[in-house]
Amino acid sequence: MVQIGNIQLPDFPLLLAPMEDVSDPPFRVVCKANGADLVFTEFISSEGLIRDAIRCRRKLDIFEEERPTGIQLFGGDEARLALAAKIVDVTQPELLDINFGCPVKGIVAQGAGSGVLRDVPLMVRLTEACVKSTSLPVTVKTRLGWDDASKNIEEVAERLQDVGIKALTIHGRTRCQLYKGEADWSLIAKVKNNPRIHIPVFGNGDINSAQKALEYKNRYGVDGIMIGRAAIGYPWIFREIRHYLQTGEMGAPPTVRERITVCKEQLRKSLQWKGPVAGVYSMRKQYFQYLKGLPGIKDYRSRLVTLTSPDEINNVLDEILLRYEGFEIERAPIELVNYHENCPL
C-alpha cells in the first residue's frame, strides 16, 4: 500500500494528472471507473479563488464517485496561497496539491507554476504556508528545474519534505523544455533512492502504454505513476496498465460498445455538471478520440459536433453502436498531445 497522509492507495497507484480544460469532474469520473486510483482537478488560481471567480469556484466541485480527489492550486504569494488553501480545506477533498510545474507563459509571468523553480526559497515558503493553513495532506507536482543548468529537484524534494509535504510528483522535464524531447526519469529515480526521502515519489512524463509503465516501474523504482495526455479520450489506459502489471499480458482493448457507453456517461455527467448548453459544447472535443479508428466515422462525428440537443446526440451515438458493434478497432500507439507548443519561453 502507498500512504499519503491518511489516504491509503493500492501498491503502485495510477494517478490522473491535473490538466487544464481536461480534468473536469465528468472526465475524472470515467477515468476513476476505468482504473485511476487518485485523480486531480484542473489547476486553480489562488487569486481567482479568493476573488470568488465563478470559473475557479466551479473547479472545486467533486463527484462522490471520483474520490479520492486532490484539488490543485497555483500561486506565487504566500498569504494568498495560504488563504486559498483554507478555502479548499472547507470543500473537503482528500488532499491539496500545489502546482510548481505548469509551464504556461501567463502563469509563469505571475511568479507561479514552474516560474517558482527559479526561486527555491520561495517555493519552500509557499509550501510551508499551505501546510500550516490546512488540515489536508499537502502534495506537490513540479519539474526537474527551470532549465538544464538548474536541475535542482533533489534539493527541492528534501526541502519540501522538511516543511511537511506528504508526496511528490515529478515531471521529467525542465520548464524550458515544455513538452519537447523525451522526459528524463533518471533524476526522478535519484530522488526516490535518496535515503533522506521517505514520502511517496511519483513519476510523470511520456507514459503512453502499459508496457512503458511496467518498464519505468522496474527501471526507476518510483512509488507510482501519473498519467496525463495518454488518458485524453482513452480512460482505459489505467485499466490496461493495471492488467499488464498484474499479468504481464495485454488485456482486450475497449469494444465499440464500451467506447459508446463511456462517451455517453461523460456526456451525462457533463450535462449534470455544466448544464444543457455548456455540457454539450464541452463534449465536442471528446468525440474524435472516442471514435478514433472506426472507418467512415467522419460524417457521424460531424453531426455530433454540430448538434445541440442531448437526445439527438445520444441517438447518433446509438446509430454508431448499431452500425459498428462487433467491429474490432486495431490497437494503435497513443499519440501524446504537445500542449503549449506555441507557448514562447
Side-chain angles (χ1 to χ4, degrees), residues 2 14 21 38 53-55 74 77 93 101 109 125 148 164 167 179 200 203 216 221 245-246 269 273 326 333:
V2 172
L14 307 176
D21 293 325
L38 175 64
I54 294 175
R55 178 173 169 79
F74 73 89
D77 178 271
R125 294 197 303 272
D148 285 341
Y179 291 94
Y216 278 36
L245 292 177
Q246 292 174 344
K269 284 293 187 181
W273 185 54

Side-chain angles (χ1 to χ4, degrees), residues 179-200:
Y179 291 94
K180 299 173 183 175
E182 185 176 353
D184 177 8
W185 284 53
S186 61
L187 285 178
I188 304 177
K190 283 188 177 181
V191 173
K192 174 57 191 172
N193 293 325
N194 182 342
R196 275 209 61 209
I197 298 297
H198 55 77
I199 58 174

Side-chain angles (χ1 to χ4, degrees), residues 80-144:
R80 309 294 277 179
L81 194 58
L83 181 54
K86 290 181 182 292
I87 296 171
V88 169
D89 198 313
V90 174
T91 66
Q92 296 184 325
E94 277 64 43
L95 61 86
L96 167 65
D97 190 70
I98 309 173
N99 183 321
F100 290 139
C102 179
V104 175
K105 183 181 179 182
I107 291 176
V108 170
Q110 300 175 38
S114 60
V116 186
L117 291 169
R118 291 176 290 188
D119 189 343
V120 175
L122 174 61
M123 183 186 293
V124 173
R125 294 197 303 272
L126 289 167
T127 304
E128 186 172 23
C130 277
V131 170
K132 290 180 176 179
S133 298
T134 179
S135 60
L136 298 167
V138 174
T139 62
V140 163
K141 184 173 188 287
T142 188
R143 289 181 171 234
L144 301 178

